Amino acid sequence: MKELVARIDTAACQALRQEVDLEYKPGLVCPGNNGSHADMNATTFYRSIAALRGYFGNCFAAGIEGAEFRTLQAHGLVAEKAMFKATEGVNTHKGAIFLMGLLAGAAGAQFREHGCFDPISLGRLVAAKWGVNILLAGVQDQVQRLDSPTHGRRVKDAFGLPGAREQAAEGFPVLFWTTVPQLRWALSEGLSQEQAQLHALVCTIGKLPDTNLAHRGGLKGLQWAQGRVDQFLAEGGVFAPGWKSRAQHLCAQFESQRLSPGGSADLLSAALFVQALVQVNSELPNFMVARS
Ligand SMILES: CC(C)(COP(=O)(O)OP(=O)(O)OC[C@H]1O[C@@H](n2cnc3c(N)ncnc32)[C@H](O[C@H]2O[C@H](COP(=O)(O)OP(=O)(O)OP(=O)(O)O)[C@@H](O)[C@H]2O)[C@@H]1O)[C@@H](O)C(=O)NCCC(=O)NCCS
Ligand SMILES: Nc1ncnc2[nH]cnc12
């Protein structure tokens, strides 16, 4: 069982690494460009990923043991602390800690029940098992942090915009209806990993009410960003010749507005993790683990 837990943990950390290493992400930190961020670069993200080692495996193991949401939440809070320590206070992966921790926990619950995973139904399982408690935790958080609300909370209060919690409680509709299928479709059309990942990211930005965009740019900023990616797609996106220079232009536009779609970046990581789980599923006989 230890080997499987380690395999899941590695798959999640690799997904985070793939996301950071992808170039031409509008407004986001890439190896060659810090996007709309002055306080972090790719090295900050690598440090953060190193600090998260073990966390996703812990969530998976907790799922196997039949964990309630509060157990996952406790693991998540420890991981957030480790991230902030490694990045000297910069928020690199708060969203990913939350949503990929939940997905890893749900994969554990599926494994406990069936001895394998059905990655595509992980979102529905998260909603069914923990949805209510995820939303209740938000209410508690609001009461406790009235003096210093999070960016997500500020945006919810100002614009009524749902955030990471609502996505999770609803079974990650954007992840499973947009990010994952667009990634798979682009790959099946013969695109490279780089093009397919960028395509999935851009489609996600167009659909997600990303609280990061709304926090920095208000509703106008969110709408502007979604309009820009829609135009990029309408011009052929990564499928059309000259996509790299159009993607670079898109990046420059996001930087000029200081906008960064951090929530969408997290969904790309989560989609890469879901894809990796499909692969792990096919490797399960090699682990020869006994369930109990
Ligand atoms: C549930 C929590 C994650 C709390 O969320 P809350 O709603 O209170 O809001 P935030 O603290 O603002 O964090 C939410 C993060 O989620 C990502 N996100 C945003 N929109 C969405 C969305 N629509 N769907 C899914 N995910 C979304 C986003 O993460 C990314 O952005 C980060 C940078 O954010 P921030 O620091 O705000 O922005 P900057 O622009 O850098 O700030 P300035 O420079 O302008 O100052 C980046 O790290 C990405 O990860 C949001 O940040 C949570 O706090 C919680 O409950 N945690 C406990 C852990 C837990 O319960 N785990 C449970 C199970 S495993
Ligand atoms: N590459 C990235 N840049 C900025 N914020 C992010 N949040 C998650 N990944 C990110």
Side-chain angles (χ1 to χ4, degrees):
M1 187 64 74
K2 253 185 169 172
E3 285 85 358
L4 181 58
V5 169
R7 176 76 179 86
I8 299 291
D9 193 63
T10 301
C13 291
Q14 279 173 347
L16 293 177
R17 176 76 193 224
Q18 281 178 288
E19 181 272 306
V20 183
D21 283 348
L22 179 67
E23 295 285 6
Y24 314 116
K25 300 186 300 281
L28 295 160
V29 172
C30 303
N33 181 336
N34 296 342
S36 303
H37 295 272
D39 58 351
M40 52 186 175
N41 57 30
T43 306
T44 324
F45 277 85
Y46 299 152
R47 284 202 199 107
S48 175
I49 295 168
L52 294 179
R53 278 234 158 264
Y55 162 65
F56 299 103
N58 287 341
C59 290
F60 177 68
I64 294 178
E65 285 155 19
E68 297 290 339
F69 173 67
R70 62 174 178 272
T71 305
L72 294 175
Q73 194 180 26
H75 284 303
L77 290 170
V78 171
E80 275 184 17
K81 261 198 187 144
M83 170 196 79
F84 280 122
K85 188 167 175 225
T87 63
E88 297 175 357
V90 178
N91 177 6
T92 42
H93 286 119
K94 197 172 173 188
I97 289 170
F98 178 67
L99 58 107
M100 288 170 62
L102 285 168
L103 292 171
Q110 278 186 344
F111 185 76
R112 169 194 173 98
E113 185 93 346
H114 308 291
C116 60
F117 320 119
D118 176 16
I120 285 301
S121 68
L122 285 174
R124 286 198 295 273
L125 188 60
V126 168
K129 275 183 89 62
W130 302 309
V132 171
N133 286 326
I134 288 170
L135 293 177
L136 281 177
V139 176
Q140 261 174 1
D141 219 45
Q142 180 186 15
V143 173
Q144 281 162 4
R145 293 203 230 172
L146 278 179
D147 292 340
S148 55
T150 60
H151 292 168
R153 168 57 58 188
R154 281 180 209 273
V155 163
K156 188 178 292 172
D157 291 347
F159 311 117
L161 208 66
R165 277 199 183 87
E166 287 72 17
Q167 282 292 317
E170 288 172 14
F172 302 108
V174 179
L175 174 64
F176 287 103
W177 289 93
T178 298
T179 323
V180 169
Q182 292 290 353
L183 179 66
R184 287 186 177 184
W185 175 65
L187 288 171
S188 75
E189 288 291 302
L191 261 61
S192 66
Q193 275 290 340
E194 180 188 37
Q195 286 168 297
Q197 289 173 18
L198 191 57
H199 173 70
L201 175 67
V202 164
C203 292
T204 304
I205 296 170
K207 290 275 183 283
L208 187 73
D210 193 318
T211 58
N212 289 75
L213 291 172
H215 173 251
R216 287 202 186 180
L219 280 188
K220 269 197 177 152
L222 174 62
Q223 280 160 2
W224 176 89
Q226 296 193 322
R228 284 304 307 123
V229 296
D230 283 350
Q231 193 180 334
F232 177 76
L233 287 167
E235 288 162 359
V238 298
F239 290 84
W243 69 267
K244 275 193 187 172
S245 60
R246 280 185 296 103
Q248 276 168 330
H249 180 58
L250 187 64
C251 290
Q253 288 181 313
F254 270 66
E255 284 160 38
S256 73
Q257 300 293 315
R258 234 192 116 256
L259 288 175
S260 172
S264 299
D266 291 333
L267 289 198
L268 175 62
S269 297
L272 293 166
F273 180 45
V274 168
Q275 284 296 87
L277 287 177
V278 175
Q279 172 63 29
V280 179
N281 217 8
S282 68
E283 294 167 10
L284 280 177
N286 303 337
F287 288 98
M288 297 207 298
V289 283
R291 276 184 295 146
S292 73

